[in-house]
Amino acid sequence: AEHQHARYNPLRDDWVLVSAHRVKRPWQGQLEKPPPEDVPRWDPKNPLCPGATRANGEVNPQYEGTFVFRNDFPALQPDAPEPDDSDHPLFQAAPARGVCKVMCFHPWSDLTLPLMSLPEIRAVIDTWAELATELGASYPWVQIFENKGAMMGCSNPHPHCQVWASSFLPNEARLEDRTQRQHLSQHGVPMLLEYAEQEARRKERLVVENADWLVVVPYWATWPYQTLLLPRRHVCRLQDLSDSERDSLASIMQRLLIKYDNLFEVSFPYSMGWHGAPTGAYLEEDCRHWQLHAHYYPPLLRSATVRKFMVGYEMLAQAQRDLTPEQAAERLRSLPDVHYK
C-alpha cells in the first residue's frame, strides 16, 4: 500500500507500475469542467432525441425505449475496397469492413444508466444481446461500448452507446483470445472464471456482488477506479445469458454506476465495453477459453475535476497508477447504494 511495485495483468500479458504514494503530490495542473447539470430532457438540436433531424437528414422516430440506427459517420463500412498489395513487409495493409450502429438507451437526454429504472436497464441489456446476435451472425467481432461524458469523447449529452461489428479481430480481442486460450490449456479452467472465484473469496478488491455477478477493481487495474464486471458461471457471450442473469446484471450495473456517481457527486465519466467470445465463423469453433466480461475505464483520479493522464512514462514505458486497486475498491465499496441526487 505504501511502496511502489509492479503487477502482472494475465489478460493482456503486460505489467502496471503501482505507485500509491504519488496521489499525495500537489496538483497545479489541468482542471476539468464538471459535466453540466442542466441538460434539457428534449432538445430538437440534439440528433439523438426523438423526433430530431440527424446530420444525414433522417428524422428519428418518437421512440419510447431503446432506439438503434446506422451511425451517420461510420468508422467501418461493409463495402470498403481491398487495399493495394504491399511491396514490402514493413508496409502492410489489410481489408477492414464492418457496420457501425448507435443505440440510444432512453428518450430522455437528462438521464444516464444509474438514474434509469431496472426494467429500462434490462431493456438495454436485451437490445445489446439482440445486436450481438444479429451482427455476430456474419462478423467475427461485435464491440459494444459506451463513452460516457464529454471528458471521454461523448459528443452528445444523451444516454447512448455504440456497436461496431468488424470483419477482423481487433488488437484487444486477439490479445485476450491468446491469453485466455493459453490459460485454459495450462490450467484446465477459463482464466476469468478462476479469477472471479478467487476475488469472491478474497473480497479485498470486491466492489459489489449478487448471486450471478461480481464487480472488482482488478488486481492489475490501470485506471484509478477501473472495474471489471464478471459472471459467476461460465458464459462465453452476452447473448447466452439467461433471463434471471439479465435481471441481476441490470441490478449490479445500476449499483456500480450509482457508486461511481456518488464517488465525487458528479455524473461519472468512463469508457466501458463488453468482451466475449468471437462470433461469425468462430461460432462453429471451440471458444471455451473465453469468459464474458465488461471493462469500465473511468479517468477521474482525485475529484470531479482532476483526472489521470496517461502520458510520458505511460505512453513510452508502461502503465502506472497512483493508488492501489485495494484502496480504490474500498472507497467504492463504502459508498452508499442510493444515488446522491
Side-chain angles (χ1 to χ4, degrees), residues 25-61:
R25 72 190 193 280
W27 183 260
Q28 296 182 4
Q30 178 172 319
L31 298 179
E32 309 294 334
K33 289 183 178 179
E37 296 281 348
D38 57 348
V39 175
R41 179 155 292 181
W42 184 84
D43 181 355
K45 297 179 181 178
N46 187 330
L48 300 183
C49 283
T53 302
R54 303 202 308 274
N56 64 357
E58 292 187 18
V59 178
N60 295 335

PDB file of all heavy atoms in Angstrom, residues 25-61:
ATOM      1  N   ARG A  25       0.882  13.953  -4.063  1.00  0.00           N
ATOM      2  CA  ARG A  25       1.649  15.086  -4.562  1.00  0.00           C
ATOM      3  C   ARG A  25       0.730  16.267  -4.869  1.00  0.00           C
ATOM      4  O   ARG A  25      -0.432  16.092  -5.238  1.00  0.00           O
ATOM      5  CB  ARG A  25       2.453  14.692  -5.806  1.00  0.00           C
ATOM      6  CG  ARG A  25       1.650  14.469  -7.061  1.00  0.00           C
ATOM      7  CD  ARG A  25       2.530  13.838  -8.149  1.00  0.00           C
ATOM      8  NE  ARG A  25       1.912  13.872  -9.467  1.00  0.00           N
ATOM      9  CZ  ARG A  25       0.993  13.034  -9.900  1.00  0.00           C
ATOM     10  NH1 ARG A  25       0.555  12.092  -9.079  1.00  0.00           N
ATOM     11  NH2 ARG A  25       0.497  13.133 -11.123  1.00  0.00           N
ATOM     12  N   PRO A  26       1.232  17.521  -4.717  1.00  0.00           N
ATOM     13  CA  PRO A  26       0.413  18.701  -5.021  1.00  0.00           C
ATOM     14  C   PRO A  26       0.007  18.712  -6.492  1.00  0.00           C
ATOM     15  O   PRO A  26       0.754  18.214  -7.355  1.00  0.00           O
ATOM     16  CB  PRO A  26       1.332  19.878  -4.692  1.00  0.00           C
ATOM     17  CG  PRO A  26       2.461  19.316  -3.911  1.00  0.00           C
ATOM     18  CD  PRO A  26       2.586  17.876  -4.262  1.00  0.00           C
ATOM     19  N   TRP A  27      -1.152  19.291  -6.774  1.00  0.00           N
ATOM     20  CA  TRP A  27      -1.632  19.349  -8.156  1.00  0.00           C
ATOM     21  C   TRP A  27      -1.945  20.784  -8.548  1.00  0.00           C
ATOM     22  O   TRP A  27      -2.794  21.428  -7.957  1.00  0.00           O
ATOM     23  CB  TRP A  27      -2.894  18.496  -8.330  1.00  0.00           C
ATOM     24  CG  TRP A  27      -3.369  18.478  -9.757  1.00  0.00           C
ATOM     25  CD1 TRP A  27      -4.376  19.215 -10.319  1.00  0.00           C
ATOM     26  CD2 TRP A  27      -2.819  17.692 -10.823  1.00  0.00           C
ATOM     27  NE1 TRP A  27      -4.494  18.940 -11.646  1.00  0.00           N
ATOM     28  CE2 TRP A  27      -3.548  18.004 -12.004  1.00  0.00           C
ATOM     29  CE3 TRP A  27      -1.796  16.755 -10.902  1.00  0.00           C
ATOM     30  CZ2 TRP A  27      -3.282  17.416 -13.233  1.00  0.00           C
ATOM     31  CZ3 TRP A  27      -1.527  16.173 -12.130  1.00  0.00           C
ATOM     32  CH2 TRP A  27      -2.266  16.495 -13.273  1.00  0.00           C
ATOM     33  N   GLN A  28      -1.201  21.281  -9.534  1.00  0.00           N
ATOM     34  CA  GLN A  28      -1.476  22.598 -10.096  1.00  0.00           C
ATOM     35  C   GLN A  28      -1.673  22.485 -11.608  1.00  0.00           C
ATOM     36  O   GLN A  28      -1.477  23.450 -12.350  1.00  0.00           O
ATOM     37  CB  GLN A  28      -0.326  23.569  -9.778  1.00  0.00           C
ATOM     38  CG  GLN A  28      -0.171  23.837  -8.288  1.00  0.00           C
ATOM     39  CD  GLN A  28       0.927  24.840  -7.982  1.00  0.00           C
ATOM     40  OE1 GLN A  28       1.526  25.403  -8.893  1.00  0.00           O
ATOM     41  NE2 GLN A  28       1.178  25.064  -6.712  1.00  0.00           N
ATOM     42  N   GLY A  29      -2.029  21.284 -12.047  1.00  0.00           N
ATOM     43  CA  GLY A  29      -2.216  21.035 -13.473  1.00  0.00           C
ATOM     44  C   GLY A  29      -3.634  21.326 -13.918  1.00  0.00           C
ATOM     45  O   GLY A  29      -4.381  22.080 -13.283  1.00  0.00           O
ATOM     46  N   GLN A  30      -4.017  20.704 -15.010  1.00  0.00           N
ATOM     47  CA  GLN A  30      -5.306  20.989 -15.628  1.00  0.00           C
ATOM     48  C   GLN A  30      -6.458  20.534 -14.750  1.00  0.00           C
ATOM     49  O   GLN A  30      -6.423  19.473 -14.147  1.00  0.00           O
ATOM     50  CB  GLN A  30      -5.394  20.288 -16.991  1.00  0.00           C
ATOM     51  CG  GLN A  30      -6.741  20.495 -17.688  1.00  0.00           C
ATOM     52  CD  GLN A  30      -6.738  19.969 -19.105  1.00  0.00           C
ATOM     53  OE1 GLN A  30      -5.763  20.148 -19.833  1.00  0.00           O
ATOM     54  NE2 GLN A  30      -7.815  19.328 -19.511  1.00  0.00           N
ATOM     55  N   LEU A  31      -7.495  21.369 -14.703  1.00  0.00           N
ATOM     56  CA  LEU A  31      -8.737  21.040 -14.025  1.00  0.00           C
ATOM     57  C   LEU A  31      -9.834  20.905 -15.074  1.00  0.00           C
ATOM     58  O   LEU A  31      -9.990  21.777 -15.939  1.00  0.00           O
ATOM     59  CB  LEU A  31      -9.109  22.123 -13.005  1.00  0.00           C
ATOM     60  CG  LEU A  31      -8.121  22.334 -11.848  1.00  0.00           C
ATOM     61  CD1 LEU A  31      -8.599  23.450 -10.940  1.00  0.00           C
ATOM     62  CD2 LEU A  31      -7.932  21.046 -11.054  1.00  0.00           C
ATOM     63  N   GLU A  32     -10.570  19.808 -15.002  1.00  0.00           N
ATOM     64  CA  GLU A  32     -11.646  19.577 -15.968  1.00  0.00           C
ATOM     65  C   GLU A  32     -12.917  20.305 -15.531  1.00  0.00           C
ATOM     66  O   GLU A  32     -13.134  20.577 -14.355  1.00  0.00           O
ATOM     67  CB  GLU A  32     -11.944  18.073 -16.063  1.00  0.00           C
ATOM     68  CG  GLU A  32     -10.729  17.201 -16.305  1.00  0.00           C
ATOM     69  CD  GLU A  32     -10.104  17.427 -17.662  1.00  0.00           C
ATOM     70  OE1 GLU A  32     -10.824  17.851 -18.596  1.00  0.00           O
ATOM     71  OE2 GLU A  32      -8.892  17.165 -17.789  1.00  0.00           O
ATOM     72  N   LYS A  33     -13.759  20.607 -16.509  1.00  0.00           N
ATOM     73  CA  LYS A  33     -15.060  21.185 -16.201  1.00  0.00           C
ATOM     74  C   LYS A  33     -16.015  20.065 -15.800  1.00  0.00           C
ATOM     75  O   LYS A  33     -16.125  19.067 -16.517  1.00  0.00           O
ATOM     76  CB  LYS A  33     -15.622  21.915 -17.422  1.00  0.00           C
ATOM     77  CG  LYS A  33     -14.897  23.215 -17.771  1.00  0.00           C
ATOM     78  CD  LYS A  33     -15.586  23.890 -18.951  1.00  0.00           C
ATOM     79  CE  LYS A  33     -14.900  25.208 -19.284  1.00  0.00           C
ATOM     80  NZ  LYS A  33     -15.561  25.877 -20.452  1.00  0.00           N
ATOM     81  N   PRO A  34     -16.691  20.226 -14.669  1.00  0.00           N
ATOM     82  CA  PRO A  34     -17.687  19.198 -14.316  1.00  0.00           C
ATOM     83  C   PRO A  34     -18.773  19.143 -15.378  1.00  0.00           C
ATOM     84  O   PRO A  34     -19.050  20.142 -16.051  1.00  0.00           O
ATOM     85  CB  PRO A  34     -18.250  19.693 -12.973  1.00  0.00           C
ATOM     86  CG  PRO A  34     -17.231  20.660 -12.454  1.00  0.00           C
ATOM     87  CD  PRO A  34     -16.590  21.279 -13.652  1.00  0.00           C
ATOM     88  N   PRO A  35     -19.398  17.979 -15.572  1.00  0.00           N
ATOM     89  CA  PRO A  35     -20.460  17.881 -16.579  1.00  0.00           C
ATOM     90  C   PRO A  35     -21.630  18.786 -16.223  1.00  0.00           C
ATOM     91  O   PRO A  35     -21.895  19.040 -15.042  1.00  0.00           O
ATOM     92  CB  PRO A  35     -20.854  16.401 -16.542  1.00  0.00           C
ATOM     93  CG  PRO A  35     -20.362  15.897 -15.239  1.00  0.00           C
ATOM     94  CD  PRO A  35     -19.161  16.703 -14.891  1.00  0.00           C
ATOM     95  N   PRO A  36     -22.342  19.293 -17.226  1.00  0.00           N
ATOM     96  CA  PRO A  36     -23.473  20.196 -16.950  1.00  0.00           C
ATOM     97  C   PRO A  36     -24.591  19.478 -16.212  1.00  0.00           C
ATOM     98  O   PRO A  36     -24.864  18.303 -16.455  1.00  0.00           O
ATOM     99  CB  PRO A  36     -23.917  20.639 -18.352  1.00  0.00           C
ATOM    100  CG  PRO A  36     -23.422  19.559 -19.271  1.00  0.00           C
ATOM    101  CD  PRO A  36     -22.151  19.061 -18.672  1.00  0.00           C
ATOM    102  N   GLU A  37     -25.222  20.192 -15.297  1.00  0.00           N
ATOM    103  CA  GLU A  37     -26.330  19.629 -14.534  1.00  0.00           C
ATOM    104  C   GLU A  37     -27.681  19.991 -15.146  1.00  0.00           C
ATOM    105  O   GLU A  37     -28.719  19.515 -14.700  1.00  0.00           O
ATOM    106  CB  GLU A  37     -26.271  20.137 -13.084  1.00  0.00           C
ATOM    107  CG  GLU A  37     -25.040  19.692 -12.310  1.00  0.00           C
ATOM    108  CD  GLU A  37     -25.149  18.261 -11.819  1.00  0.00           C
ATOM    109  OE1 GLU A  37     -26.266  17.707 -11.881  1.00  0.00           O
ATOM    110  OE2 GLU A  37     -24.126  17.699 -11.386  1.00  0.00           O
ATOM    111  N   ASP A  38     -27.663  20.865 -16.150  1.00  0.00           N
ATOM    112  CA  ASP A  38     -28.916  21.405 -16.693  1.00  0.00           C
ATOM    113  C   ASP A  38     -29.190  20.910 -18.111  1.00  0.00           C
ATOM    114  O   ASP A  38     -29.636  21.669 -18.971  1.00  0.00           O
ATOM    115  CB  ASP A  38     -28.893  22.932 -16.676  1.00  0.00           C
ATOM    116  CG  ASP A  38     -27.694  23.509 -17.443  1.00  0.00           C
ATOM    117  OD1 ASP A  38     -26.777  22.728 -17.779  1.00  0.00           O
ATOM    118  OD2 ASP A  38     -27.686  24.721 -17.715  1.00  0.00           O
ATOM    119  N   VAL A  39     -28.901  19.641 -18.384  1.00  0.00           N
ATOM    120  CA  VAL A  39     -29.167  19.075 -19.703  1.00  0.00           C
ATOM    121  C   VAL A  39     -30.677  19.031 -19.921  1.00  0.00           C
ATOM    122  O   VAL A  39     -31.416  18.483 -19.101  1.00  0.00           O
ATOM    123  CB  VAL A  39     -28.576  17.651 -19.814  1.00  0.00           C
ATOM    124  CG1 VAL A  39     -28.958  17.011 -21.143  1.00  0.00           C
ATOM    125  CG2 VAL A  39     -27.063  17.689 -19.645  1.00  0.00           C
ATOM    126  N   PRO A  40     -31.175  19.623 -21.024  1.00  0.00           N
ATOM    127  CA  PRO A  40     -32.627  19.575 -21.263  1.00  0.00           C
ATOM    128  C   PRO A  40     -33.089  18.160 -21.575  1.00  0.00           C
ATOM    129  O   PRO A  40     -32.366  17.384 -22.206  1.00  0.00           O
ATOM    130  CB  PRO A  40     -32.813  20.500 -22.472  1.00  0.00           C
ATOM    131  CG  PRO A  40     -31.482  20.545 -23.144  1.00  0.00           C
ATOM    132  CD  PRO A  40     -30.458  20.382 -22.060  1.00  0.00           C
ATOM    133  N   ARG A  41     -34.282  17.836 -21.124  1.00  0.00           N
ATOM    134  CA  ARG A  41     -34.826  16.494 -21.351  1.00  0.00           C
ATOM    135  C   ARG A  41     -34.999  16.210 -22.839  1.00  0.00           C
ATOM    136  O   ARG A  41     -34.782  15.083 -23.297  1.00  0.00           O
ATOM    137  CB  ARG A  41     -36.149  16.349 -20.611  1.00  0.00           C
ATOM    138  CG  ARG A  41     -36.825  15.009 -20.789  1.00  0.00           C
ATOM    139  CD  ARG A  41     -37.742  14.713 -19.629  1.00  0.00           C
ATOM    140  NE  ARG A  41     -36.978  14.486 -18.410  1.00  0.00           N
ATOM    141  CZ  ARG A  41     -37.523  14.190 -17.235  1.00  0.00           C
ATOM    142  NH1 ARG A  41     -38.837  14.099 -17.121  1.00  0.00           N
ATOM    143  NH2 ARG A  41     -36.765  13.990 -16.172  1.00  0.00           N
ATOM    144  N   TRP A  42     -35.373  17.227 -23.610  1.00  0.00           N
ATOM    145  CA  TRP A  42     -35.536  17.094 -25.050  1.00  0.00           C
ATOM    146  C   TRP A  42     -35.019  18.350 -25.719  1.00  0.00           C
ATOM    147  O   TRP A  42     -35.305  19.464 -25.270  1.00  0.00           O
ATOM    148  CB  TRP A  42     -37.002  16.864 -25.410  1.00  0.00           C
ATOM    149  CG  TRP A  42     -37.225  16.622 -26.881  1.00  0.00           C
ATOM    150  CD1 TRP A  42     -37.105  15.438 -27.537  1.00  0.00           C
ATOM    151  CD2 TRP A  42     -37.591  17.590 -27.878  1.00  0.00           C
ATOM    152  NE1 TRP A  42     -37.371  15.598 -28.880  1.00  0.00           N
ATOM    153  CE2 TRP A  42     -37.677  16.915 -29.122  1.00  0.00           C
ATOM    154  CE3 TRP A  42     -37.844  18.964 -27.846  1.00  0.00           C
ATOM    155  CZ2 TRP A  42     -38.011  17.562 -30.310  1.00  0.00           C
ATOM    156  CZ3 TRP A  42     -38.184  19.610 -29.027  1.00  0.00           C
ATOM    157  CH2 TRP A  42     -38.259  18.911 -30.244  1.00  0.00           C
ATOM    158  N   ASP A  43     -34.225  18.173 -26.753  1.00  0.00           N
ATOM    159  CA  ASP A  43     -33.641  19.303 -27.468  1.00  0.00           C
ATOM    160  C   ASP A  43     -33.692  18.988 -28.958  1.00  0.00           C
ATOM    161  O   ASP A  43     -33.069  18.020 -29.408  1.00  0.00           O
ATOM    162  CB  ASP A  43     -32.191  19.516 -27.007  1.00  0.00           C
ATOM    163  CG  ASP A  43     -31.512  20.701 -27.695  1.00  0.00           C
ATOM    164  OD1 ASP A  43     -32.127  21.296 -28.594  1.00  0.00           O
ATOM    165  OD2 ASP A  43     -30.371  21.020 -27.322  1.00  0.00           O
ATOM    166  N   PRO A  44     -34.416  19.776 -29.747  1.00  0.00           N
ATOM    167  CA  PRO A  44     -34.533  19.473 -31.175  1.00  0.00           C
ATOM    168  C   PRO A  44     -33.197  19.530 -31.902  1.00  0.00           C
ATOM    169  O   PRO A  44     -33.060  18.957 -32.992  1.00  0.00           O
ATOM    170  CB  PRO A  44     -35.483  20.558 -31.689  1.00  0.00           C
ATOM    171  CG  PRO A  44     -35.387  21.674 -30.688  1.00  0.00           C
ATOM    172  CD  PRO A  44     -35.139  20.997 -29.373  1.00  0.00           C
ATOM    173  N   LYS A  45     -32.194  20.176 -31.315  1.00  0.00           N
ATOM    174  CA  LYS A  45     -30.875  20.269 -31.933  1.00  0.00           C
ATOM    175  C   LYS A  45     -29.977  19.083 -31.577  1.00  0.00           C
ATOM    176  O   LYS A  45     -28.897  18.928 -32.141  1.00  0.00           O
ATOM    177  CB  LYS A  45     -30.185  21.574 -31.513  1.00  0.00           C
ATOM    178  CG  LYS A  45     -30.910  22.824 -31.981  1.00  0.00           C
ATOM    179  CD  LYS A  45     -30.184  24.082 -31.518  1.00  0.00           C
ATOM    180  CE  LYS A  45     -30.929  25.333 -31.963  1.00  0.00           C
ATOM    181  NZ  LYS A  45     -30.242  26.564 -31.469  1.00  0.00           N
ATOM    182  N   ASN A  46     -30.426  18.250 -30.629  1.00  0.00           N
ATOM    183  CA  ASN A  46     -29.661  17.062 -30.254  1.00  0.00           C
ATOM    184  C   ASN A  46     -30.062  15.928 -31.189  1.00  0.00           C
ATOM    185  O   ASN A  46     -31.204  15.464 -31.150  1.00  0.00           O
ATOM    186  CB  ASN A  46     -29.945  16.686 -28.799  1.00  0.00           C
ATOM    187  CG  ASN A  46     -29.063  15.561 -28.292  1.00  0.00           C
ATOM    188  OD1 ASN A  46     -28.643  14.695 -29.044  1.00  0.00           O
ATOM    189  ND2 ASN A  46     -28.796  15.553 -26.999  1.00  0.00           N
ATOM    190  N   PRO A  47     -29.142  15.434 -32.029  1.00  0.00           N
ATOM    191  CA  PRO A  47     -29.518  14.448 -33.057  1.00  0.00           C
ATOM    192  C   PRO A  47     -29.929  13.095 -32.509  1.00  0.00           C
ATOM    193  O   PRO A  47     -30.379  12.242 -33.277  1.00  0.00           O
ATOM    194  CB  PRO A  47     -28.243  14.336 -33.898  1.00  0.00           C
ATOM    195  CG  PRO A  47     -27.131  14.722 -32.979  1.00  0.00           C
ATOM    196  CD  PRO A  47     -27.707  15.786 -32.088  1.00  0.00           C
ATOM    197  N   LEU A  48     -29.793  12.874 -31.202  1.00  0.00           N
ATOM    198  CA  LEU A  48     -30.183  11.595 -30.617  1.00  0.00           C
ATOM    199  C   LEU A  48     -31.583  11.622 -30.015  1.00  0.00           C
ATOM    200  O   LEU A  48     -32.104  10.586 -29.606  1.00  0.00           O
ATOM    201  CB  LEU A  48     -29.165  11.165 -29.553  1.00  0.00           C
ATOM    202  CG  LEU A  48     -27.723  10.985 -30.034  1.00  0.00           C
ATOM    203  CD1 LEU A  48     -26.838  10.488 -28.896  1.00  0.00           C
ATOM    204  CD2 LEU A  48     -27.640  10.012 -31.207  1.00  0.00           C
ATOM    205  N   CYS A  49     -32.193  12.783 -29.950  1.00  0.00           N
ATOM    206  CA  CYS A  49     -33.511  12.901 -29.336  1.00  0.00           C
ATOM    207  C   CYS A  49     -34.613  12.378 -30.266  1.00  0.00           C
ATOM    208  O   CYS A  49     -34.487  12.425 -31.491  1.00  0.00           O
ATOM    209  CB  CYS A  49     -33.795  14.362 -28.990  1.00  0.00           C
ATOM    210  SG  CYS A  49     -32.952  14.950 -27.523  1.00  0.00           S
ATOM    211  N   PRO A  50     -35.708  11.899 -29.684  1.00  0.00           N
ATOM    212  CA  PRO A  50     -36.852  11.507 -30.517  1.00  0.00           C
ATOM    213  C   PRO A  50     -37.348  12.693 -31.346  1.00  0.00           C
ATOM    214  O   PRO A  50     -37.456  13.815 -30.842  1.00  0.00           O
ATOM    215  CB  PRO A  50     -37.904  11.089 -29.486  1.00  0.00           C
ATOM    216  CG  PRO A  50     -37.140  10.766 -28.249  1.00  0.00           C
ATOM    217  CD  PRO A  50     -35.952  11.671 -28.250  1.00  0.00           C
ATOM    218  N   GLY A  51     -37.612  12.442 -32.618  1.00  0.00           N
ATOM    219  CA  GLY A  51     -38.129  13.484 -33.486  1.00  0.00           C
ATOM    220  C   GLY A  51     -37.100  14.447 -34.030  1.00  0.00           C
ATOM    221  O   GLY A  51     -37.435  15.300 -34.861  1.00  0.00           O
ATOM    222  N   ALA A  52     -35.847  14.339 -33.594  1.00  0.00           N
ATOM    223  CA  ALA A  52     -34.802  15.250 -34.067  1.00  0.00           C
ATOM    224  C   ALA A  52     -34.315  14.815 -35.451  1.00  0.00           C
ATOM    225  O   ALA A  52     -34.380  13.647 -35.817  1.00  0.00           O
ATOM    226  CB  ALA A  52     -33.638  15.281 -33.080  1.00  0.00           C
ATOM    227  N   THR A  53     -33.803  15.793 -36.217  1.00  0.00           N
ATOM    228  CA  THR A  53     -33.245  15.514 -37.537  1.00  0.00           C
ATOM    229  C   THR A  53     -31.740  15.329 -37.419  1.00  0.00           C
ATOM    230  O   THR A  53     -31.045  16.176 -36.863  1.00  0.00           O
ATOM    231  CB  THR A  53     -33.552  16.666 -38.510  1.00  0.00           C
ATOM    232  OG1 THR A  53     -34.970  16.843 -38.594  1.00  0.00           O
ATOM    233  CG2 THR A  53     -32.997  16.361 -39.892  1.00  0.00           C
ATOM    234  N   ARG A  54     -31.234  14.194 -37.924  1.00  0.00           N
ATOM    235  CA  ARG A  54     -29.806  13.907 -37.844  1.00  0.00           C
ATOM    236  C   ARG A  54     -29.054  14.541 -39.016  1.00  0.00           C
ATOM    237  O   ARG A  54     -29.651  15.109 -39.928  1.00  0.00           O
ATOM    238  CB  ARG A  54     -29.570  12.390 -37.799  1.00  0.00           C
ATOM    239  CG  ARG A  54     -30.280  11.705 -36.641  1.00  0.00           C
ATOM    240  CD  ARG A  54     -29.624  10.377 -36.297  1.00  0.00           C
ATOM    241  NE  ARG A  54     -29.458   9.503 -37.441  1.00  0.00           N
ATOM    242  CZ  ARG A  54     -30.380   8.671 -37.884  1.00  0.00           C
ATOM    243  NH1 ARG A  54     -31.562   8.603 -37.282  1.00  0.00           N
ATOM    244  NH2 ARG A  54     -30.133   7.890 -38.942  1.00  0.00           N
ATOM    245  N   ALA A  55     -27.728  14.391 -39.013  1.00  0.00           N
ATOM    246  CA  ALA A  55     -26.876  15.052 -39.996  1.00  0.00           C
ATOM    247  C   ALA A  55     -27.182  14.618 -41.424  1.00  0.00           C
ATOM    248  O   ALA A  55     -26.997  15.387 -42.373  1.00  0.00           O
ATOM    249  CB  ALA A  55     -25.405  14.784 -39.673  1.00  0.00           C
ATOM    250  N   ASN A  56     -27.664  13.384 -41.589  1.00  0.00           N
ATOM    251  CA  ASN A  56     -27.945  12.882 -42.939  1.00  0.00           C
ATOM    252  C   ASN A  56     -29.353  13.228 -43.410  1.00  0.00           C
ATOM    253  O   ASN A  56     -29.791  12.777 -44.479  1.00  0.00           O
ATOM    254  CB  ASN A  56     -27.736  11.366 -43.001  1.00  0.00           C
ATOM    255  CG  ASN A  56     -28.706  10.603 -42.107  1.00  0.00           C
ATOM    256  OD1 ASN A  56     -29.505  11.202 -41.386  1.00  0.00           O
ATOM    257  ND2 ASN A  56     -28.635   9.284 -42.145  1.00  0.00           N
ATOM    258  N   GLY A  57     -30.083  14.006 -42.603  1.00  0.00           N
ATOM    259  CA  GLY A  57     -31.428  14.418 -42.976  1.00  0.00           C
ATOM    260  C   GLY A  57     -32.528  13.505 -42.481  1.00  0.00           C
ATOM    261  O   GLY A  57     -33.715  13.853 -42.597  1.00  0.00           O
ATOM    262  N   GLU A  58     -32.182  12.335 -41.930  1.00  0.00           N
ATOM    263  CA  GLU A  58     -33.202  11.431 -41.412  1.00  0.00           C
ATOM    264  C   GLU A  58     -33.776  11.964 -40.102  1.00  0.00           C
ATOM    265  O   GLU A  58     -33.067  12.574 -39.294  1.00  0.00           O
ATOM    266  CB  GLU A  58     -32.626  10.033 -41.195  1.00  0.00           C
ATOM    267  CG  GLU A  58     -32.250   9.309 -42.479  1.00  0.00           C
ATOM    268  CD  GLU A  58     -31.847   7.865 -42.219  1.00  0.00           C
ATOM    269  OE1 GLU A  58     -32.183   7.334 -41.141  1.00  0.00           O
ATOM    270  OE2 GLU A  58     -31.180   7.286 -43.103  1.00  0.00           O
ATOM    271  N   VAL A  59     -35.060  11.718 -39.902  1.00  0.00           N
ATOM    272  CA  VAL A  59     -35.751  12.155 -38.686  1.00  0.00           C
ATOM    273  C   VAL A  59     -35.954  10.948 -37.777  1.00  0.00           C
ATOM    274  O   VAL A  59     -36.485   9.915 -38.211  1.00  0.00           O
ATOM    275  CB  VAL A  59     -37.104  12.810 -39.021  1.00  0.00           C
ATOM    276  CG1 VAL A  59     -37.836  13.213 -37.745  1.00  0.00           C
ATOM    277  CG2 VAL A  59     -36.898  14.021 -39.924  1.00  0.00           C
ATOM    278  N   ASN A  60     -35.519  11.066 -36.528  1.00  0.00           N
ATOM    279  CA  ASN A  60     -35.694   9.967 -35.575  1.00  0.00           C
ATOM    280  C   ASN A  60     -37.172   9.740 -35.281  1.00  0.00           C
ATOM    281  O   ASN A  60     -37.955  10.695 -35.216  1.00  0.00           O
ATOM    282  CB  ASN A  60     -34.983  10.278 -34.251  1.00  0.00           C
ATOM    283  CG  ASN A  60     -33.486  10.365 -34.402  1.00  0.00           C
ATOM    284  OD1 ASN A  60     -32.896   9.787 -35.301  1.00  0.00           O
ATOM    285  ND2 ASN A  60     -32.846  11.109 -33.502  1.00  0.00           N
ATOM    286  N   PRO A  61     -37.575   8.498 -35.079  1.00  0.00           N
ATOM    287  CA  PRO A  61     -38.959   8.249 -34.650  1.00  0.00           C
ATOM    288  C   PRO A  61     -39.176   8.751 -33.225  1.00  0.00           C
ATOM    289  O   PRO A  61     -38.221   9.054 -32.500  1.00  0.00           O
ATOM    290  CB  PRO A  61     -39.072   6.729 -34.729  1.00  0.00           C
ATOM    291  CG  PRO A  61     -37.675   6.237 -34.527  1.00  0.00           C
ATOM    292  CD  PRO A  61     -36.786   7.256 -35.176  1.00  0.00           C
TER     293      PRO A  61
END
